[in-house]
Amino acid sequence: MPVMHFRVQWPDGEEVNCYSPSTVIGEYFMAGRRYPLADFVSRAREALHIGSERVREKYGFACSAALDQLAQIEQHADRFAADPSAEVKVIELS
């Protein structure tokens, strides 16, 4: 199954590499684009769940790495939840 990595920049400027077990992430994000925080988390949640389910369909078990990645994204996002103007930039998809 082809994996995909995506690099994001959080509102405080911190850059983080993220993992997806599927290329579906490319249907949810575009490199160079900024997303409002809640939208970014929602898109990541949906895409990573789909990716995890694709692994389940192929191998018979969910992708724990995708679910771990989602938990990390949600934890990072919580730091900026009080800022209504917070955005996350998707730097690159590879």
Side-chain angles (χ1 to χ4, degrees), residues 30-60:
M30 210 165 80
R33 185 166 172 203
R34 294 185 178 277
Y35 297 87
L37 181 66
D39 184 39
F40 172 78
V41 173
S42 176
R43 287 169 180 263
R45 185 177 295 122
E46 188 169 344
L48 290 169
H49 277 293
I50 290 170
S52 179
E53 286 305 308
R54 287 183 179 178
V55 170
R56 183 189 308 279
E57 289 169 8
K58 186 167 184 171
Y59 299 106

Side-chain angles (χ1 to χ4, degrees), residues 3-31:
V3 303
M4 200 163 192
H5 294 91
F6 55 110
R7 186 164 182 80
V8 302
Q9 182 180 50
W10 290 98
D12 64 356
E14 179 184 6
E15 294 184 9
V16 177
N17 290 317
C18 300
Y19 165 85
S20 171
S22 167
T23 57
V24 71
I25 204 80
E27 297 173 21
Y28 286 79
F29 295 117
M30 210 165 80

Side-chain angles (χ1 to χ4, degrees), residues 48-90:
L48 290 169
H49 277 293
I50 290 170
S52 179
E53 286 305 308
R54 287 183 179 178
V55 170
R56 183 189 308 279
E57 289 169 8
K58 186 167 184 171
Y59 299 106
F61 52 86
C63 179
S64 61
L67 302 178
D68 289 346
Q69 181 63 75
L70 176 57
Q72 290 173 6
I73 287 171
E74 291 173 336
Q75 186 177 25
H76 259 89
D78 283 347
R79 297 179 8 216
F80 308 104
D83 181 356
S85 64
E87 293 183 324
V88 178
K89 181 179 179 181
V90 176

